[in-house]
């Protein structure tokens, strides 16, 4: 079952305590697409500028990602520059150039409109709704957002939340969206806004999943060296939806295993700069770390 | 199998975003003892002042805690005054009066010296060593410490670490003790200092357990309302060692189940001020929440 993702395809310039990288391939749709491609076919919707190199398109092609919906527009590619603190949970955006993203209106190729699994990556909620409106037979729609849209496009976001099954956000965004500091209350409040499932990402502390009838909590995979946390959240979403699309199991057990697969893929992402670790990752490594995740967390068998 | 605990027995004055409490029963030994008493008999070593009320002794007696080693000294009881932020992971110590704790030298009653399970709560490492030296047949010694002792009594602490099996500390203390920011590296570095097992408490994010051959990671039990986090760490240690003493199972499976029991007891502690929730807790509630913990974390069965 193939997955459609809309989001940013970007140049990232990253500084971490371990080193730095200039204009590497980044963006929410990029991380999501490469992560999900280990589980299911992926179709990407987005825009890049005239400066976007063939090498980077090649990264997607090698993972079998469908690029029909990736538009090339006049101008420069979206560029994010960020700096991480010694505490890698904290980062500053040093520079943000929207470039071709300004005024982008996503039009889906005909071959995309029957996509059943959809991830609306972190972009303008208006644009997320535009994509949703072009789809005919979605089985499962998940979306991400961020503080910028929660504060600036609250109304569009509220409308969107009524039309999706799952929201995947981090803990500070969940607090901002709900106005609740306690994370359980925050999740319950967001469930009332529409989504049937809320996934709360807590970085190195793992993920919480809330639905009306169940809570699932899982730690992150512990690593001795985190090189670059960029894209961990989108890689998580990619592994998560990728496994759901592959298994077709949307029950509580299926959701939970998908969350662990997402956590596993994210744990590889942060082992190197940008998408470098994912481009040399194998399905066998994912399965092996999934088994280690069981060993890491099991206490009752 | 009974457990000996040495630590503080205190008056706590606490302010949280939910309310405040004056001079309630607190201290590391108090929380540990009451928590552990649900699993195994507990013997307490500590000191209180002339102002320590009979009502508070009664709280221990009702839980069957052996108070022979709790000395009453001339002067006032140790008093801690603290204030929690809206983010309950952050607290300020507003006032700290050591009072009778100054110059206290723990002498163990003869009936205590054959204790096999020992918890050296957060006090001066010199005092922790003094207690250890009076014991004849320990099977398992765990200890806690804090930034104050890591910075001020490093040498005594290093000696102590060579004589114990388990260190139970929080993440910021692990970073301070090891000089490593990454928590996996921090734990590996501490394992080299002596203990066979390092437990790292991460508050609302759960617990990590490290040994030479294994890592275990478990989230905390999610609560809609955290009333007062005081004593959560010592309650965790009490439930953990209490279950170990009860089961006698020191293997990896036994340790992991003990960690979950510790997490369960700690999750009750924070539901009310001070020791109030633990004093009205039942073994049935503990077992029920342990089952819920399995449901919360299981993904592969």
């Amino acid at each position: 079952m193939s997955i459609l993702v809309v989001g940013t395809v970007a140049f990232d310039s990253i500084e971490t305590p371990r080193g730095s990288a200039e204009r590497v391939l980044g963006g929410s749709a990029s991380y999501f697409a490469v992560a999900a491609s280990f589980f299911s076919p992926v179709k990407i919707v987005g825009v890049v500028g005239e400066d976007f190199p063939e090498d980077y398109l090649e990264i997607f092609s090698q993972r079998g990602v469908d690029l029909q919906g990736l538009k090339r527009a006049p101008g420069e590619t979206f560029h994010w520059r960020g700096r991480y603190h010694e505490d890698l949970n904290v980062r500053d955006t040093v520079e943000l150039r929207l470039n071709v993203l300004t005024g982008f209106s996503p039009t889906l190729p005909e071959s995309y409109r029957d996509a059943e699994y959809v991830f609306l990556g972190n972009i303008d909620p208006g644009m997320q709704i535009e994509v949703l409106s072009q789809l005919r037979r979605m089985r499962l729609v998940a979306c991400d957002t961020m503080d910028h849209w929660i504060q600036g496009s609250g109304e569009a976001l509220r409308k969107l939340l009524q039309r999706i099954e799952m929201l995947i956000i981090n803990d500070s965004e969940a607090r901002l969206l709900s106005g609740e500091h306690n994370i359980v209350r925050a999740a319950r409040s967001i469930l009332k806004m529409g989504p049937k499932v809320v996934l709360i990402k807590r970085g190195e502390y793992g993920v919480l999943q809330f639905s009306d009838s169940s809570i699932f909590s899982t730690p992150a995979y512990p690593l001795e060296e985190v090189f670059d946390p960029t894209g961990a959240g989108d890689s998580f979403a990619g592994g998560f939806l990728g496994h759901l699309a592959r298994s077709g199991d949307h029950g509580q057990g299926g959701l939970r295993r998908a969350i662990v697969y997402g956590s596993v893929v994210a744990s590889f992402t942060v082992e190197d700069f940008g998408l470098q670790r994912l481009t040399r990752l194998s399905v066998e490594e994912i399965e092996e770390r999934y088994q280690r995740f069981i060993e890491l967390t099991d206490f009752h068998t």
Side-chain angles (χ1 to χ4, degrees), chain A:
Chain A
M1 207 62 84
S2 75
I3 308 173
L4 182 148
V5 54
V6 58
T8 56
V9 177
F11 291 137
D12 281 354
S13 294
I14 304 159
E15 211 179 299
T16 85
R18 308 277 159 275
S20 64
E22 275 294 313
R23 291 168 73 87
V24 295
L25 175 58
S28 59
S30 304
Y31 281 100
F32 181 94
V34 174
S37 72
F38 290 94
F39 303 87
S40 295
V42 183
K43 299 171 192 303
I44 214 168
V45 180
V47 62
V48 295
E50 293 153 323
D51 56 352
F52 196 76
E54 285 297 321
D55 289 5
Y56 285 5
L57 292 175
E58 195 57 30
I59 291 174
F60 294 123
S61 307
Q62 281 182 351
R63 296 290 328 146
V65 174
D66 187 338
L67 297 175
Q68 273 188 80
L70 184 65
K71 197 171 146 188
R72 196 184 277 271
E76 289 177 28
T77 302
F78 173 56
H79 187 183
W80 175 74
R81 184 180 294 278
R83 188 183 295 134
Y84 289 87
H85 294 220
E86 182 66 31
D87 175 357
L88 293 166
N89 298 307
V90 187
R91 77 175 183 195
D92 304 321
T93 290
V94 177
E95 201 184 350
L96 192 75
R97 291 175 184 264
L98 292 177
N99 296 333
V100 293
L101 208 61
T102 313
F104 171 60
S105 174
T107 309
L108 270 49
E110 180 55 33
S111 65
Y112 276 38
R113 301 195 181 205
D114 289 332
E116 299 190 2
Y117 289 82
V118 180
F119 183 63
L120 306 172
N122 178 19
I123 45 166
D124 186 323
M127 222 180 272
Q128 292 173 316
I129 291 174
E130 252 184 273
V131 169
L132 206 50
S133 305
Q134 296 173 61
L135 293 165
R136 289 184 285 237
R137 40 187 298 228
M138 310 86 81
R139 280 187 63 192
L140 200 156
V141 181
C143 98
D144 188 7
T145 192
M146 69 184 292
D147 46 4
H148 180 74
W149 309 119
I150 296 170
Q151 285 165 327
S153 309
E155 207 179 320
L157 183 60
R158 293 292 183 126
K159 275 186 196 157
L160 177 66
L161 289 177
Q162 289 170 10
R163 295 177 60 182
I164 59 159
E165 275 75 50
M166 297 189 188
L167 181 66
I168 306 178
I169 53 177
N170 72 34
D171 42 6
S172 65
E173 290 156 359
R175 290 191 172 104
L176 186 64
L177 178 58
S178 64
E180 292 278 1
H181 188 84
N182 176 285
I183 207 71
V184 183
R185 283 166 178 267
R188 297 244 180 272
S189 158
I190 295 168
L191 284 173
K192 292 201 185 96
M193 300 176 192
K196 303 224 167 7
V197 173
V198 175
L199 296 189
I200 295 178
K201 300 175 284 185
R202 305 203 278 183
E204 65 165 314
Y205 301 117
V207 177
L208 279 165
Q209 178 216 226
F210 294 85
S211 69
D212 268 350
S213 59
S214 178
I215 305 180
F216 175 57
S217 183
T218 191
Y221 190 81
L223 294 169
E224 282 210 32
E225 181 97 77
V226 174
F227 220 82
D228 171 16
T230 311
D234 293 305
S235 304
F236 165 78
F240 169 71
L241 271 182
H243 178 75
L244 278 185
R246 174 175 75 173
S247 71
D249 178 0
H250 302 187
Q252 189 53 224
L255 285 178
R256 290 173 173 217
R257 284 182 285 276
I259 287 169
V260 173
Y261 274 109
S263 304
V264 164
V265 177
S267 77
F268 284 113
T269 300
V270 303
E271 287 182 349
D272 205 339
F273 270 115
L275 278 155
Q276 287 182 40
R277 184 65 182 91
L278 290 196
T279 55
R280 54 173 204 273
L281 184 63
S282 71
V283 170
E284 292 68 33
E285 286 177 299
I286 293 174
E287 291 303 328
E288 195 210 327
R289 192 166 286 183
Y290 183 88
Q291 289 305 316
R292 293 234 205 135
F293 214 101
I294 295 176
E295 291 161 24
L296 172 76
T297 54
D298 184 53
F299 62 90
H300 62 96
T301 58

